[in-house]
Amino acid sequence: MLLKPGEENQEYWFMFNGLDKVLHLSIFAALGFCFIATFPKIKFSYFFQIILIYAFLTEILQEEMGFGRSMETLDIVADTIGCLIGYYTYKFLIKRFF
């Protein structure tokens, strides 16, 4: 989804400036949650490095593939915050319910 070719967006009632950052945050929150749920014993530093490398690679590929997508620093920030949200949500749920 992050590497999908860019298209002309139509205006919908739910669209606002920064929607793409919310989508990046949401995608990486789900990715971070699933990753830590799959590998619960991984050290936080490894988890964070792997997710951050993935975020950088997707942004670089967006720029290099020439599909109308561009590399943005704020996307990487949103990706990082999203993965941390996913990680801490998992840790909270495990602590609270198990």
Side-chain angles (χ1 to χ4, degrees):
M1 189 169 16
L2 294 172
L3 298 176
K4 183 177 177 242
E7 300 172 2
E8 288 296 320
N9 291 330
Q10 296 178 353
E11 290 296 320
Y12 296 103
W13 64 269
F14 58 85
M15 296 183 81
F16 56 91
N17 286 340
L19 177 64
D20 64 323
K21 305 305 179 252
V22 173
L23 293 174
H24 273 267
L25 188 129
S26 301
I27 290 167
F28 273 81
L31 178 67
F33 184 89
C34 292
F35 188 84
I36 196 64
T38 304
F39 303 104
K41 296 189 188 286
I42 193 170
K43 288 183 178 182
F44 175 78
S45 61
Y46 294 149
F47 163 82
F48 191 68
Q49 289 173 13
I50 290 167
I51 297 291
L52 199 57
I53 288 168
Y54 184 74
F56 273 103
L57 285 175
T58 58
E59 289 302 315
I60 290 168
L61 287 173
Q62 282 180 2
E63 184 73 29
E64 295 299 319
M65 291 177 71
F67 287 142
R69 304 289 307 262
S70 62
M71 182 176 178
E72 294 183 27
T73 305
L74 287 179
D75 285 347
I76 295 172
V77 172
D79 297 345
T80 303
I81 293 169
C83 84
L84 292 174
I85 289 170
Y87 178 87
Y88 287 113
T89 300
Y90 175 81
K91 292 296 185 179
F92 172 77
L93 291 174
I94 289 300
K95 189 179 217 181
R96 173 89 181 197
F97 297 109
F98 296 103

